[in-house]
Amino acid sequence: MLSLKKYLTEGLLQFTILLSLVGVRVDVDTYLTSQLPPLREIILGPSSAYTQTQFHNLRNTLDGYGIHPKSVDLDNYFTARRLLSQVRALDRFQVPTTEVNAWLVHRDPEGSVSGSQPSSGLALESSSGLQDVTGPDSGVRESETEQGFGDDLEDLGAVAPPVSGDLTKEDIDLGAGREVFDYSHRQKEQDVDKELRDGRGEQEDNWAGTGTDALAQDLLVDGETGESFPAQFPDVTSLPEAAPSENESPVLQNSLLSPLLTGTESPFDLEQQWQDLMSIMEMQAMEVNSSASEILYSTPPGDALSTNYSLAPSTPINQNVSLHQASLGGCGQEFSLFSPEVESLPAAAASPALLPLGPSNSTSLNSTFSPASLAGLFFPPQLNGTTNDTAGPELPDPLGGLLDEAMLDEISLMDLAIEEGFNPVQASQLEEEFDSDSGLSLDSSHSPSSLSGSEGSSSSSSASTSSASSSSSASSSASSSFSEEGAVGYSSDSETLDLEEAEGAVGYQPEYSKFCRMSYQDPSQLSCLPYLEHVGHNHTYNMAPSALDATELPPGGGFKKGGKEKQAADFLEKQMSRDEHRARAMKIPFTNDKIINLPVEEFNELLSKHQLSEAQLSLIRDIRRRGKNKMAAQNCRKRKLDTILNLERDVEDLQRDKARLLREKVEFLRSLRQMKQKVQSLYQEVFGRLRDENGRPYSPSQYALQYAGDGSVLLIPRALADQQARRQERKPKDRRK
DNA sequence: AAAAGATGTCATGGT
DNA sequence: AGACCATGACATCTT
């Protein structure tokens, strides 16, 4: 078991690496404080690939790639959390449609503003399209799981490679050892190694002395069938974008001191880059995804707001007309016209977290609209009657919170472009398209986020690195090879993990050769299959069949070895490890496999059964030590590789999440802005229709509308309104501190 | 022939 | 204490 210390240190290290790689500044905290595992697990360790105990459970998996028990629904969950919080932030800005209408209804013809009773209200029923939002964010994972997996898991090991014909001409007989070597000393052993290295052929000639006969027979036997050829595993390689400011009536804009104008202006500057960014994202989505959202939310040509403004002023402004009617005529139209846009908000809510809002949006919009927030909307901080340009401090603003400038700095367009693998050329093309058509597809499940989350990422990865393009196939290959082999340390079930891995496989491409190499030599599995022992799958520590026969079987009759047999023998010779050569040279009477893999008791028992010289015992112990260490080293390397790959995958996941969250954020900001504009237009319209006792309009520089706590809308002096607005502004800031 | 990657080995430290 | 494992560093082999 690993100590807590190890968990912490290693986990922290991994975590640090992840953070530094991803550069995620904001979201990680959320993740960590959530009850979901990924990063926390990296920190705490239990499921980390680094955990040794777990490592042992991965034999049959993609060699542990499935270790990270990443919840399939993690994305959804995070999305839900994010969206939820963002929506809560949005609440403050939702349009108090009902209340505004109420005011309209009860406006006193004499000009005194007294309306206080809620009206039937338009609310947002007209935007029933909100409820049309469908398509929960389910496509992401599915598309990921599509990546083909799990083929040919059984292939490996069954294929005997073509025997290479590079056999030496020499008649090499590897004797069981003449008394050339004194193994009592390790130094001597090393000498042997050198000799072996320098030229097995030549040295082996020397050995041929005593062991020739036995060996010759062995060679015959094995050579006949050819089965004994070490089987090599086949090499697998073999702002204002939608802002209708220009569409707005300048008169209205200038004459009315709408707080919205002032409040929206500066954040939108910042938003500009978000918009650009957003355009890019959505363009990508549009291209790849002929999503239903396009159909659902296809906007009528022309800007909704402009339409609105063209209609609203045209409505006869009659002092005596019922403002309710007016609102029905004007605002009602507005909303029906708006609906495509209004949908944008709930459309974004299509992601799971927001779904609940969908069906009840008309009520929720009203209910969540707090008087305070409205006050914040309606009462600009500045007193001067000039226009937006002089905009003072922003509204207490969700934009302030959402659109953290540092965040913007951090996330450059380039960054995202790279992450998304987005094609600048396509982007520019699509950008025009996007600009001309304001159709919004804010349904995040259809949106680029989900796309980029699956297909997008793979394509991007394939383009940028070599890691992802064939990640699935690579993984499957890797998994097959590993499930076949499995070093001693890796023992467990894990087809399930395989599947999970397949899902999560974003983009790493284990190198086949690496894995195959690592796998084909592993003796531990084969040692469990006695019948395979002599098939000689080149498990290093098994004695070659010839050697086995030489040592364990009494020399049989006098077979004559032919050339082929000799060649086979030579081939086998070359497949033998150094320790096998040593063992044979020392006439060790059992296989290296046994030496290495036998449990201690059995091993000692085995030793006691034989009369062994000190040199032999020493060699055997060394063989056991080296053999075990060799496997340990293999495991260690695998583990290391797994860790790296897992980290790589985690980084990619985080990058994807980050990009997706950014897109969602942009979408929210956009819809937020639209809502603000609508509120503003309503404000202006309402205010513009107000008349005092003399039938003159109120001066926007002197009066403002205030949304009272009881649902009524009051006309109050602007100074007072500003005062209250300032108070509202301070509160949240103080709270932060 | 050199370089890079893969694998083996040793030393060391931990369980 | 001994067996075993993990791993860094180096050696050796392979490509």
Side-chain angles (χ1 to χ4, degrees):
Chain A
M1 256 310 176
L2 290 177
S3 66
L4 181 61
K5 178 186 165 194
K6 187 170 186 179
Y7 281 143
L8 289 178
T9 54
E10 292 176 349
L12 283 175
L13 181 60
Q14 289 185 349
F15 181 56
T16 305
I17 293 172
L18 279 178
L19 286 185
S20 65
L21 285 175
V22 178
V24 171
R25 189 176 67 95
V26 179
D27 298 321
V28 173
D29 290 341
T30 314
Y31 294 168
L32 286 178
T33 54
S34 76
Q35 294 168 358
L36 287 164
L39 286 177
R40 167 187 275 183
E41 296 238 337
I42 289 174
I43 289 181
L44 297 182
S47 61
S48 161
Y50 223 48
T51 303
Q52 299 174 9
T53 46
Q54 174 163 21
F55 185 69
H56 290 260
N57 291 332
L58 296 167
R59 187 187 66 197
N60 290 328
T61 74
L62 258 190
D63 195 29
Y65 294 167
I67 287 172
H68 204 81
K70 175 166 181 159
S71 164
V72 177
D73 289 325
L74 211 52
D75 269 358
N76 286 343
Y77 181 86
F78 287 154
T79 304
R81 276 182 66 90
R82 286 288 286 177
L83 294 182
L84 201 51
S85 64
Q86 290 178 347
V87 163
R88 282 174 184 148
L90 277 176
D91 284 349
R92 288 181 288 160
F93 281 86
Q94 287 171 355
V95 184
T97 330
T98 306
E99 284 72 18
V100 170
N101 289 331
W103 184 89
L104 289 170
V105 168
H106 296 284
R107 179 194 173 253
D108 189 322
E110 271 75 40
S112 65
V113 179
S114 63
S116 66
Q117 73 188 80
S119 81
S120 53
L122 287 171
L124 289 178
E125 288 105 343
S126 58
S127 61
S128 59
L130 299 181
Q131 301 182 12
D132 291 341
V133 175
T134 55
D137 187 9
S138 62
V140 180
R141 285 293 173 193
E142 287 174 3
S143 58
E144 285 181 4
T145 55
E146 282 178 8
Q147 298 174 350
F149 258 80
D151 339 73
D152 29 12
L153 285 178
E154 350 270 13
D155 286 349
L156 293 180
V159 182
V163 179
S164 71
D166 65 329
L167 301 175
T168 60
K169 295 160 285 184
E170 306 177 57
D171 186 3
I172 302 166
D173 282 341
L174 298 185
R178 83 185 199 203
E179 306 301 324
V180 179
F181 309 107
D182 176 8
Y183 283 99
S184 63
H185 223 264
R186 192 173 282 179
Q187 179 55 47
K188 299 267 175 134
E189 191 178 294
Q190 289 169 0
D191 294 342
V192 177
D193 291 344
K194 268 182 194 165
E195 289 166 350
L196 290 174
R197 246 179 279 131
D198 289 343
R200 285 182 182 168
E202 298 159 14
Q203 278 299 337
E204 285 158 3
D205 261 348
N206 295 335
W207 300 355
T210 58
T212 304
D213 295 340
L215 193 70
Q217 292 152 5
D218 300 337
L219 290 175
L220 266 181
V221 172
D222 294 330
E224 291 267 31
T225 62
E227 290 177 348
S228 61
F229 292 158
Q232 295 174 334
F233 284 92
D235 191 359
V236 185
T237 59
S238 14
L239 195 95
E241 142 272 341
S245 57
E246 65 268 347
N247 296 329
E248 294 181 16
S249 157
V251 175
L252 273 179
Q253 200 169 5
N254 292 331
S255 64
L256 291 179
L257 285 182
S258 165
L260 292 168
L261 282 177
T262 63
T264 53
E265 197 59 29
S266 76
F268 286 176
D269 288 340
L270 287 178
E271 260 185 274
Q272 182 56 57
Q273 39 176 321
W274 282 101
Q275 294 302 331
D276 296 340
L277 208 154
M278 186 60 196
S279 316
I280 290 161
M281 300 306 174
E282 291 195 356
M283 283 181 268
Q284 194 179 5
M286 287 175 178
E287 183 194 38
V288 186
N289 181 14
S290 62
S291 73
S293 62
E294 283 185 66
I295 302 165
L296 273 175
Y297 306 131
S298 62
T299 4
D303 188 282
L305 272 182
S306 68
T307 312
N308 167 33
Y309 279 107
S310 65
L311 280 181
S314 68
T315 307
I317 298 178
N318 185 339
Q319 183 180 346
N320 292 325
V321 81
S322 159
L323 283 183
H324 189 185
Q325 291 171 359
S327 71
L328 283 176
C331 299
Q333 281 181 20
E334 279 176 27
F335 275 108
S336 62
L337 286 168
F338 273 150
S339 58
E341 272 190 78
V342 174
E343 279 165 357
S344 64
L345 180 60
S351 62
L354 296 182
L355 274 178
L357 288 180
S360 60
N361 58 51
S362 65
T363 54
S364 69
L365 275 177
N366 291 332
S367 61
T368 55
F369 199 92
S370 72
S373 62
L374 222 185
L377 276 177
F378 275 24
F379 294 98
Q382 83 279 11
L383 287 169
N384 60 24
T386 58
T387 56
N388 5 334
D389 294 338
T390 60
E394 299 175 13
L395 300 173
D397 195 342
L399 286 183
L402 287 174
L403 198 55
D404 178 6
E405 199 163 352
M407 265 292 279
L408 287 171
D409 293 341
E410 177 189 42
I411 304 142
S412 69
L413 185 63
M414 247 347 224
D415 188 17
L416 277 178
I418 290 170
E419 286 174 9
E420 297 301 312
F422 109 95
N423 179 352
V425 178
Q426 290 176 341
S428 59
Q429 291 173 349
L430 288 166
E431 188 162 14
E432 299 170 6
E433 193 178 323
F434 181 77
D435 285 343
S436 64
D437 183 359
S438 63
L440 296 180
S441 169
L442 293 184
D443 182 346
S444 62
S445 69
H446 301 304
S447 81
S449 63
S450 53
L451 277 175
S452 70
S454 49
E455 306 116 49
S457 75
S458 69
S459 64
S460 69
S461 303
S462 66
S464 58
T465 72
S466 67
S467 64
S469 64
S470 59
S471 65
S472 62
S473 60
S475 298
S476 68
S477 300
S479 90
S480 53
S481 70
F482 275 117
S483 53
E484 273 298 324
E485 59 107 3
V488 167
Y490 294 74
S491 57
S492 97
D493 53 331
S494 49
E495 265 101 20
T496 54
L497 288 181
D498 256 358
L499 290 178
E500 287 182 10
E501 179 55 33
E503 275 186 343
V506 173
Y508 45 77
Q509 185 175 25
E511 300 168 34
Y512 304 141
S513 60
K514 212 186 293 179
F515 289 133
C516 291
R517 274 174 147 248
M518 287 168 80
S519 56
Y520 85 85
Q521 281 194 336
D522 193 332
S524 57
Q525 286 248 311
L526 295 169
S527 67
C528 302
L529 308 171
Y531 59 90
L532 284 181
E533 213 164 7
H534 289 249
V535 176
H537 280 191
N538 191 19
H539 27 97
T540 311
Y541 290 103
N542 277 354
M543 300 283 281
S546 58
L548 288 176
D549 292 338
T551 54
E552 289 191 319
L553 301 177
F559 294 105
K560 292 178 182 177
K561 56 180 177 184
K564 286 184 181 178
E565 286 79 8
K566 243 191 293 177
Q567 287 183 344
D570 187 28
F571 181 79
L572 292 176
E573 281 301 324
K574 291 186 175 177
Q575 295 300 316
M576 285 171 60
S577 71
R578 281 174 287 188
D579 271 338
E580 280 166 343
H581 282 291
R582 292 187 198 115
R584 198 172 61 178
M586 288 291 285
K587 297 181 180 174
I588 304 297
F590 25 78
T591 66
N592 283 27
D593 182 47
K594 279 181 180 170
I595 292 173
I596 293 164
N597 294 311
L598 242 40
V600 202
E601 299 88 25
E602 292 180 41
F603 175 67
N604 290 331
E605 201 178 324
L606 185 67
L607 290 186
S608 64
K609 274 195 287 188
H610 295 79
Q611 283 276 342
L612 296 169
S613 70
E614 194 56 37
Q616 282 175 317
L617 287 174
S618 174
L619 176 63
I620 287 172
R621 277 190 289 270
D622 282 343
I623 286 173
R624 187 174 172 87
R625 175 180 51 78
R626 279 193 289 261
K628 285 194 176 300
N629 187 248
K630 185 162 123 186
M631 290 187 296
Q634 287 170 346
N635 285 347
C636 184
R637 282 168 177 144
K638 268 186 220 170
R639 195 159 36 237
K640 208 182 281 183
L641 186 62
D642 289 343
T643 304
I644 291 169
L645 293 175
N646 278 327
L647 284 172
E648 193 178 43
R649 191 188 60 185
D650 288 345
V651 167
E652 285 170 4
D653 286 347
L654 287 174
Q655 284 174 338
R656 260 204 330 251
D657 288 345
K658 181 181 169 185
R660 177 176 48 78
L661 290 170
L662 284 177
R663 282 191 299 270
E664 290 169 2
K665 183 176 180 178
V666 170
E667 288 168 3
F668 275 117
L669 288 176
R670 171 182 297 178
S671 62
L672 189 63
R673 189 185 56 206
Q674 290 170 350
M675 296 300 281
K676 277 185 172 182
Q677 287 167 348
K678 286 167 200 160
V679 172
Q680 175 196 331
S681 66
L682 285 175
Y683 179 98
Q684 289 171 344
E685 181 176 341
V686 167
F687 194 94
R689 296 186 185 195
L690 288 179
R691 296 293 182 274
D692 60 13
E693 310 82 35
N694 303 324
R696 288 182 303 226
Y698 287 98
S699 163
S701 60
Q702 292 171 7
Y703 294 94
L705 295 176
Q706 183 185 29
Y707 181 77
D710 60 357
S712 63
V713 176
L714 303 175
L715 183 70
I716 64 172
R718 182 162 280 278
L720 183 58
D722 291 338
Q723 226 178 14
Q724 293 181 0
R726 251 178 269 127
R727 231 180 293 145
Q728 288 293 337
E729 206 173 301
R730 270 183 219 124
K731 275 185 185 175
K733 284 182 181 175
D734 292 344
R735 228 177 284 144
R736 272 180 210 166
K737 293 172 185 175

Short mmCIF file of all heavy atoms in Angstrom, two decimals, chain A residues 517-518 521 541 625-626 629-630 634 637, chain B residues 5-12 14-15:
data_model
loop_
_atom_site.label_atom_id
_atom_site.label_comp_id
_atom_site.label_asym_id
_atom_site.label_seq_id
_atom_site.Cartn_x
_atom_site.Cartn_y
_atom_site.Cartn_z
N ARG A 517 6.38 -5.13 -28.06
CA ARG A 517 7.68 -5.55 -27.58
C ARG A 517 7.61 -5.88 -26.10
O ARG A 517 8.11 -6.88 -25.64
CB ARG A 517 8.69 -4.42 -27.77
CG ARG A 517 9.30 -4.43 -29.13
CD ARG A 517 10.16 -3.23 -29.30
NE ARG A 517 11.27 -3.57 -30.15
CZ ARG A 517 12.51 -3.62 -29.71
NH1 ARG A 517 12.79 -3.35 -28.47
NH2 ARG A 517 13.48 -3.94 -30.53
N MET A 518 6.99 -5.00 -25.44
CA MET A 518 6.93 -5.22 -24.02
C MET A 518 6.16 -6.48 -23.70
O MET A 518 6.44 -7.16 -22.74
CB MET A 518 6.26 -4.03 -23.34
CG MET A 518 7.15 -2.82 -23.32
SD MET A 518 6.26 -1.39 -22.86
CE MET A 518 6.21 -1.60 -21.10
N GLN A 521 7.44 -10.62 -24.55
CA GLN A 521 8.46 -11.33 -23.81
C GLN A 521 8.00 -11.77 -22.44
O GLN A 521 8.72 -12.45 -21.74
CB GLN A 521 9.68 -10.44 -23.65
CG GLN A 521 10.51 -10.39 -24.90
CD GLN A 521 11.85 -9.79 -24.61
OE1 GLN A 521 11.99 -9.04 -23.66
NE2 GLN A 521 12.83 -10.12 -25.40
N TYR A 541 12.79 -15.87 -20.10
CA TYR A 541 13.39 -16.67 -19.04
C TYR A 541 13.03 -18.14 -19.13
O TYR A 541 13.41 -18.91 -18.27
CB TYR A 541 12.99 -16.10 -17.69
CG TYR A 541 13.68 -14.79 -17.49
CD1 TYR A 541 13.01 -13.61 -17.65
CD2 TYR A 541 15.04 -14.77 -17.23
CE1 TYR A 541 13.66 -12.42 -17.49
CE2 TYR A 541 15.69 -13.57 -17.08
CZ TYR A 541 14.99 -12.40 -17.21
OH TYR A 541 15.64 -11.21 -17.07
N ARG A 625 16.75 -13.18 -9.29
CA ARG A 625 16.74 -11.75 -8.99
C ARG A 625 16.60 -10.92 -10.26
O ARG A 625 15.75 -10.03 -10.35
CB ARG A 625 18.04 -11.38 -8.27
CG ARG A 625 18.20 -9.91 -8.01
CD ARG A 625 19.50 -9.60 -7.31
NE ARG A 625 20.66 -10.21 -7.96
CZ ARG A 625 21.24 -9.73 -9.04
NH1 ARG A 625 20.75 -8.65 -9.60
NH2 ARG A 625 22.28 -10.33 -9.58
N ARG A 626 17.40 -11.26 -11.21
CA ARG A 626 17.34 -10.48 -12.45
C ARG A 626 15.99 -10.62 -13.15
O ARG A 626 15.44 -9.67 -13.69
CB ARG A 626 18.47 -10.91 -13.38
CG ARG A 626 19.80 -10.27 -13.04
CD ARG A 626 20.80 -10.47 -14.15
NE ARG A 626 21.24 -11.86 -14.25
CZ ARG A 626 22.39 -12.32 -13.74
NH1 ARG A 626 23.18 -11.51 -13.08
NH2 ARG A 626 22.71 -13.59 -13.86
N ASN A 629 13.44 -8.68 -11.41
CA ASN A 629 13.68 -7.26 -11.62
C ASN A 629 13.34 -6.85 -13.04
O ASN A 629 12.89 -5.73 -13.29
CB ASN A 629 15.14 -6.93 -11.30
CG ASN A 629 15.37 -5.44 -11.34
OD1 ASN A 629 16.07 -4.95 -12.22
ND2 ASN A 629 14.78 -4.72 -10.42
N LYS A 630 13.57 -7.75 -13.92
CA LYS A 630 13.24 -7.42 -15.30
C LYS A 630 11.75 -7.17 -15.46
O LYS A 630 11.32 -6.20 -16.07
CB LYS A 630 13.69 -8.56 -16.21
CG LYS A 630 13.51 -8.30 -17.67
CD LYS A 630 14.36 -9.27 -18.43
CE LYS A 630 13.58 -10.09 -19.40
NZ LYS A 630 14.42 -11.13 -20.03
N GLN A 634 9.73 -3.82 -16.40
CA GLN A 634 8.72 -3.71 -17.46
C GLN A 634 7.44 -3.09 -16.91
O GLN A 634 6.85 -2.20 -17.51
CB GLN A 634 8.43 -5.10 -18.04
CG GLN A 634 9.56 -5.61 -18.91
CD GLN A 634 9.37 -7.07 -19.30
OE1 GLN A 634 8.55 -7.77 -18.72
NE2 GLN A 634 10.15 -7.52 -20.27
N ARG A 637 7.88 0.54 -16.33
CA ARG A 637 7.84 1.35 -17.55
C ARG A 637 6.42 1.47 -18.09
O ARG A 637 6.01 2.52 -18.57
CB ARG A 637 8.78 0.76 -18.58
CG ARG A 637 10.21 1.13 -18.26
CD ARG A 637 11.23 0.36 -19.04
NE ARG A 637 12.56 0.85 -18.70
CZ ARG A 637 13.63 0.08 -18.62
NH1 ARG A 637 13.52 -1.21 -18.86
NH2 ARG A 637 14.79 0.59 -18.29
P DG B 5 13.69 8.82 -29.31
OP1 DG B 5 12.56 9.65 -29.74
OP2 DG B 5 14.50 9.20 -28.14
"O5'" DG B 5 13.16 7.33 -29.08
"C5'" DG B 5 12.78 6.57 -30.21
"C4'" DG B 5 12.81 5.11 -29.88
"O4'" DG B 5 14.17 4.66 -29.77
"C3'" DG B 5 12.13 4.77 -28.55
"O3'" DG B 5 11.25 3.68 -28.77
"C2'" DG B 5 13.29 4.39 -27.63
"C1'" DG B 5 14.30 3.84 -28.63
N9 DG B 5 15.68 3.89 -28.20
C8 DG B 5 16.38 4.99 -27.76
N7 DG B 5 17.62 4.72 -27.45
C5 DG B 5 17.75 3.37 -27.72
C6 DG B 5 18.87 2.51 -27.59
O6 DG B 5 20.00 2.80 -27.19
N1 DG B 5 18.57 1.21 -27.97
C2 DG B 5 17.35 0.79 -28.42
N2 DG B 5 17.22 -0.50 -28.74
N3 DG B 5 16.29 1.57 -28.54
C4 DG B 5 16.56 2.84 -28.18
P DA B 6 10.42 3.13 -27.58
OP1 DA B 6 9.09 2.80 -28.11
OP2 DA B 6 10.58 4.01 -26.40
"O5'" DA B 6 11.20 1.77 -27.29
"C5'" DA B 6 11.41 0.88 -28.38
"C4'" DA B 6 12.01 -0.41 -27.87
"O4'" DA B 6 13.40 -0.20 -27.57
"C3'" DA B 6 11.37 -0.95 -26.58
"O3'" DA B 6 11.27 -2.36 -26.70
"C2'" DA B 6 12.36 -0.52 -25.49
"C1'" DA B 6 13.68 -0.55 -26.23
N9 DA B 6 14.68 0.40 -25.74
C8 DA B 6 14.50 1.74 -25.51
N7 DA B 6 15.58 2.36 -25.09
C5 DA B 6 16.53 1.35 -25.04
C6 DA B 6 17.89 1.36 -24.68
N6 DA B 6 18.55 2.44 -24.27
N1 DA B 6 18.55 0.18 -24.75
C2 DA B 6 17.90 -0.91 -25.16
N3 DA B 6 16.63 -1.03 -25.52
C4 DA B 6 16.00 0.15 -25.45
P DT B 7 10.55 -3.13 -25.59
OP1 DT B 7 9.91 -4.28 -26.24
OP2 DT B 7 9.78 -2.22 -24.73
"O5'" DT B 7 11.80 -3.66 -24.76
"C5'" DT B 7 12.76 -4.48 -25.42
"C4'" DT B 7 13.92 -4.75 -24.50
"O4'" DT B 7 14.64 -3.54 -24.25
"C3'" DT B 7 13.53 -5.30 -23.14
"O3'" DT B 7 14.12 -6.57 -22.98
"C2'" DT B 7 14.08 -4.29 -22.15
"C1'" DT B 7 15.16 -3.61 -22.96
N1 DT B 7 15.52 -2.23 -22.55
C2 DT B 7 16.84 -1.95 -22.25
O2 DT B 7 17.72 -2.78 -22.29
N3 DT B 7 17.07 -0.66 -21.89
C4 DT B 7 16.15 0.37 -21.82
O4 DT B 7 16.48 1.49 -21.49
C5 DT B 7 14.79 0.01 -22.15
C7 DT B 7 13.71 1.04 -22.10
C6 DT B 7 14.54 -1.26 -22.49
P DG B 8 13.91 -7.38 -21.72
OP1 DG B 8 13.84 -8.79 -22.10
OP2 DG B 8 12.86 -6.78 -20.87
"O5'" DG B 8 15.34 -7.11 -21.02
"C5'" DG B 8 16.51 -7.44 -21.75
"C4'" DG B 8 17.74 -7.22 -20.89
"O4'" DG B 8 17.94 -5.80 -20.73
"C3'" DG B 8 17.68 -7.81 -19.50
"O3'" DG B 8 18.94 -8.38 -19.21
"C2'" DG B 8 17.39 -6.61 -18.61
"C1'" DG B 8 18.10 -5.49 -19.34
N9 DG B 8 17.55 -4.16 -19.16
C8 DG B 8 16.26 -3.75 -19.38
N7 DG B 8 16.07 -2.49 -19.15
C5 DG B 8 17.31 -2.02 -18.76
C6 DG B 8 17.72 -0.71 -18.38
O6 DG B 8 17.05 0.31 -18.31
N1 DG B 8 19.08 -0.67 -18.05
C2 DG B 8 19.93 -1.75 -18.10
N2 DG B 8 21.19 -1.52 -17.74
N3 DG B 8 19.55 -2.97 -18.44
C4 DG B 8 18.24 -3.04 -18.76
P DT B 9 19.15 -9.20 -17.92
OP1 DT B 9 20.13 -10.25 -18.20
OP2 DT B 9 17.84 -9.53 -17.34
"O5'" DT B 9 19.85 -8.11 -16.98
"C5'" DT B 9 21.10 -7.57 -17.40
"C4'" DT B 9 21.61 -6.59 -16.37
"O4'" DT B 9 20.85 -5.37 -16.45
"C3'" DT B 9 21.51 -7.07 -14.93
"O3'" DT B 9 22.81 -7.06 -14.38
"C2'" DT B 9 20.59 -6.07 -14.25
"C1'" DT B 9 20.70 -4.85 -15.15
N1 DT B 9 19.50 -3.97 -15.20
C2 DT B 9 19.65 -2.64 -14.94
O2 DT B 9 20.71 -2.13 -14.65
N3 DT B 9 18.48 -1.91 -15.01
C4 DT B 9 17.23 -2.38 -15.33
O4 DT B 9 16.26 -1.64 -15.38
C5 DT B 9 17.15 -3.79 -15.60
C7 DT B 9 15.84 -4.39 -15.96
C6 DT B 9 18.28 -4.51 -15.52
P DC B 10 23.03 -7.63 -12.95
OP1 DC B 10 24.33 -8.34 -12.95
OP2 DC B 10 21.80 -8.31 -12.47
"O5'" DC B 10 23.19 -6.28 -12.11
"C5'" DC B 10 24.09 -5.29 -12.60
"C4'" DC B 10 24.00 -4.05 -11.72
"O4'" DC B 10 22.80 -3.32 -12.06
"C3'" DC B 10 23.95 -4.33 -10.22
"O3'" DC B 10 24.90 -3.52 -9.57
"C2'" DC B 10 22.53 -3.97 -9.84
"C1'" DC B 10 22.17 -2.92 -10.87
N1 DC B 10 20.72 -2.79 -11.17
C2 DC B 10 20.11 -1.53 -11.19
O2 DC B 10 20.78 -0.54 -10.93
N3 DC B 10 18.79 -1.44 -11.47
C4 DC B 10 18.09 -2.54 -11.75
N4 DC B 10 16.79 -2.42 -12.03
C5 DC B 10 18.70 -3.83 -11.75
C6 DC B 10 20.00 -3.91 -11.46
P DA B 11 25.20 -3.73 -8.07
OP1 DA B 11 26.67 -3.66 -7.89
OP2 DA B 11 24.44 -4.89 -7.55
"O5'" DA B 11 24.55 -2.41 -7.44
"C5'" DA B 11 24.77 -1.18 -8.08
"C4'" DA B 11 24.00 -0.07 -7.36
"O4'" DA B 11 22.63 -0.07 -7.83
"C3'" DA B 11 23.94 -0.23 -5.84
"O3'" DA B 11 24.10 1.06 -5.26
"C2'" DA B 11 22.55 -0.80 -5.59
"C1'" DA B 11 21.74 -0.22 -6.74
N9 DA B 11 20.66 -1.07 -7.21
C8 DA B 11 20.69 -2.43 -7.38
N7 DA B 11 19.56 -2.93 -7.83
C5 DA B 11 18.74 -1.82 -7.98
C6 DA B 11 17.41 -1.69 -8.43
N6 DA B 11 16.65 -2.71 -8.83
N1 DA B 11 16.89 -0.45 -8.46
C2 DA B 11 17.65 0.58 -8.07
N3 DA B 11 18.91 0.57 -7.63
C4 DA B 11 19.40 -0.68 -7.61
P DT B 12 24.23 1.17 -3.71
OP1 DT B 12 25.17 2.28 -3.46
OP2 DT B 12 24.44 -0.16 -3.11
"O5'" DT B 12 22.77 1.67 -3.32
"C5'" DT B 12 22.19 2.73 -4.06
"C4'" DT B 12 20.72 2.86 -3.71
"O4'" DT B 12 19.96 1.85 -4.40
"C3'" DT B 12 20.41 2.68 -2.22
"O3'" DT B 12 19.87 3.89 -1.74
"C2'" DT B 12 19.40 1.54 -2.18
"C1'" DT B 12 18.86 1.53 -3.59
N1 DT B 12 18.32 0.23 -4.09
C2 DT B 12 17.07 0.21 -4.65
O2 DT B 12 16.38 1.20 -4.77
N3 DT B 12 16.64 -1.02 -5.09
C4 DT B 12 17.35 -2.21 -5.01
O4 DT B 12 16.86 -3.24 -5.42
C5 DT B 12 18.65 -2.11 -4.41
C7 DT B 12 19.48 -3.34 -4.27
C6 DT B 12 19.07 -0.91 -3.98
P DG B 14 13.53 4.87 2.03
OP1 DG B 14 13.24 6.28 2.24
OP2 DG B 14 14.35 4.09 3.00
"O5'" DG B 14 12.16 4.07 1.86
"C5'" DG B 14 11.31 4.38 0.76
"C4'" DG B 14 10.32 3.25 0.56
"O4'" DG B 14 11.03 2.11 0.03
"C3'" DG B 14 9.66 2.79 1.85
"O3'" DG B 14 8.24 2.91 1.74
"C2'" DG B 14 10.06 1.33 2.00
"C1'" DG B 14 10.51 0.95 0.61
N9 DG B 14 11.57 -0.05 0.64
C8 DG B 14 12.84 0.10 1.13
N7 DG B 14 13.56 -0.97 1.02
C5 DG B 14 12.72 -1.89 0.42
C6 DG B 14 12.94 -3.24 0.05
O6 DG B 14 13.96 -3.91 0.19
N1 DG B 14 11.82 -3.80 -0.53
C2 DG B 14 10.62 -3.15 -0.74
N2 DG B 14 9.65 -3.85 -1.32
N3 DG B 14 10.41 -1.91 -0.40
C4 DG B 14 11.49 -1.33 0.17
P DT B 15 7.39 2.60 2.97
OP1 DT B 15 6.23 3.50 2.89
OP2 DT B 15 8.24 2.55 4.18
"O5'" DT B 15 6.91 1.11 2.66
"C5'" DT B 15 6.26 0.84 1.43
"C4'" DT B 15 5.83 -0.62 1.39
"O4'" DT B 15 7.00 -1.44 1.23
"C3'" DT B 15 5.12 -1.09 2.65
"O3'" DT B 15 3.97 -1.84 2.27
"C2'" DT B 15 6.15 -1.99 3.33
"C1'" DT B 15 6.94 -2.52 2.15
N1 DT B 15 8.33 -2.91 2.44
C2 DT B 15 8.75 -4.17 2.09
O2 DT B 15 8.04 -4.99 1.55
N3 DT B 15 10.07 -4.44 2.40
C4 DT B 15 10.97 -3.57 3.00
O4 DT B 15 12.11 -3.93 3.22
C5 DT B 15 10.46 -2.29 3.33
C7 DT B 15 11.33 -1.28 4.00
C6 DT B 15 9.17 -2.01 3.05
#
